[in-house]
Amino acid sequence: MAAHPHLIIDGLQYCRWSKDIFQQMNAGGVSAVHVTIAYHENFRETVLAIEQWNRWFEDYADYIFLGKSGADIQRARDSGKTAIFFGFQNPSPIEDDIGLVEICFCLGARFMQLSYNNQSFLASGCYESVDTGITRFGKQVIKEMNRLGFVIDMSHSGDKSTLQAIDLSAKPIVISHANPHWWHEALRNKSHDILKALSDSKGLMGFSLYPHHLKNGSQCNINDFVDMIKKCAECYGIDYIALGTDLCQDQPDDIVKWMRNGRWAKDIDYGEGSKDNAGFPDNPIWFRNNLNFITIRKALLDNGFTQEEVHRIMGGNWLRFINEAF
């Protein structure tokens, strides 16, 4: 396959994976994607997910391979393939065992959220009425993740927990998929104080294209999205912003129940206050799949970003962060 002409890295996807999607990644020039392999799965269930990915890596070796380092991203770009980086949206795979942090890292995981909406063993989620901050266990896990080069992700965590994680971590952390709360007041979007602390600590923010995180939802205008990116570049610095689309392509609506509930509730947790959250909303017409990154790239250039700035936003900042973090 031909080398990808531009560096594109997506900081988060949770698609219903298939040969068609892997082909779209290649055709769209996507060199690396952080994929969710666990929401509420325990350790053994996460191992089963890795088994499935190993079969995909074997069956679709012309398109994808497991990524573990920045060098793998360059290899993917040179070969026209996509490096897949494993991540957890919840710390459930490590259960209550500090030793499983290293085991998960050895199995290929490179990102882990310390909480997903709810209180976990490590931190509070953004839907909890009281954010108690990082727990005693959470402090130990942060130290262990820092030792290994396992990236801390606070995309679904509460404000207090997120600020404490930034402070406690000896290495920069990420918010892999969210947007500024001042642009769109979704519960999951992040405050100015958090984004300032993140950038001051050399952490990275991945902008989400999940409609519940966008101004005007599925009808979000691409120029409004790019204008938000421009304001973030001015406020937080061009080096600390990137893309984390939260693309959930081809997923059936009933998967939302697993994402929201796991095993802890019988009735779906609407979280952000709308029963529309019971299913997947339509993505904006200008971003439906991995072929559409070129649309974002063009919009950034058309709205005054330089070629170098676009390179950083579309993938350069993720590559630098990964090289330093891993």
Side-chain angles (χ1 to χ4, degrees), residues 76-95:
R77 186 179 180 186
D78 291 343
S79 64
K81 298 180 182 181
T82 305
I84 301 295
F85 289 85
F86 291 159
F88 308 153
Q89 292 221 30
N90 202 29
S92 57
I94 69 167
E95 301 178 7

Side-chain angles (χ1 to χ4, degrees), residues 41-157:
E41 287 84 351
N42 61 26
F43 177 74
R44 179 57 182 148
E45 290 166 334
T46 302
V47 171
L48 292 175
I50 293 172
E51 287 183 11
Q52 175 62 74
W53 272 102
N54 284 344
R55 288 193 289 273
W56 285 330
F57 292 139
E58 182 177 357
D59 292 343
Y60 305 118
D62 288 343
Y63 306 110
I64 58 171
F65 62 88
L66 178 62
K68 294 184 178 181
S69 69
D72 289 328
I73 296 174
Q74 189 58 53
R75 178 160 65 95
R77 186 179 180 186
D78 291 343
S79 64
K81 298 180 182 181
T82 305
I84 301 295
F85 289 85
F86 291 159
F88 308 153
Q89 292 221 30
N90 202 29
S92 57
I94 69 167
E95 301 178 7
D96 59 355
D97 184 349
I98 191 76
L100 289 182
V101 178
E102 185 168 10
I103 297 298
C104 289
F105 184 82
C106 291
L107 291 173
R110 289 297 180 269
F111 297 85
M112 184 170 73
Q113 291 182 187
L114 300 194
S115 56
Y116 180 80
N117 295 343
N118 293 0
Q119 178 71 43
S120 75
F121 285 145
L122 310 182
S124 289
C126 61
Y127 289 174
E128 297 290 358
S129 58
V130 177
D131 183 348
T132 57
I134 303 298
T135 65
R136 294 167 65 216
F137 184 31
K139 292 175 183 177
Q140 295 298 318
V141 169
I142 286 173
K143 287 172 59 178
E144 182 69 350
M145 292 177 74
N146 286 167
R147 181 182 74 84
L148 295 165
F150 203 157
V151 176
I152 295 157
D153 187 350
M154 300 300 283
S155 294
H156 283 258
S157 299

Side-chain angles (χ1 to χ4, degrees), residues 7-12 31-34 67-74 83-86 105 110-111 148-151 171-174 202-204 239 242-243 315-326:
L7 180 62
I8 298 173
I9 299 174
D10 193 346
L12 197 286
S31 294
V33 179
H34 162 207
K68 294 184 178 181
S69 69
D72 289 328
I73 296 174
Q74 189 58 53
I84 301 295
F85 289 85
F86 291 159
F105 184 82
R110 289 297 180 269
F111 297 85
L148 295 165
F150 203 157
V151 176
K171 294 185 176 182
I173 74 163
V174 301
K202 302 186 185 306
L204 194 62
D239 291 329
L243 297 177
N317 288 338
W318 270 121
L319 180 58
R320 186 201 70 248
F321 182 92
I322 286 169
N323 278 329
E324 294 171 357
F326 295 177

Side-chain angles (χ1 to χ4, degrees), residues 193-210:
D193 288 346
I194 285 177
L195 297 181
K196 187 68 168 64
L198 183 72
S199 60
D200 286 349
S201 63
K202 302 186 185 306
L204 194 62
M205 166 79 159
F207 296 119
S208 172
L209 283 156
Y210 193 72

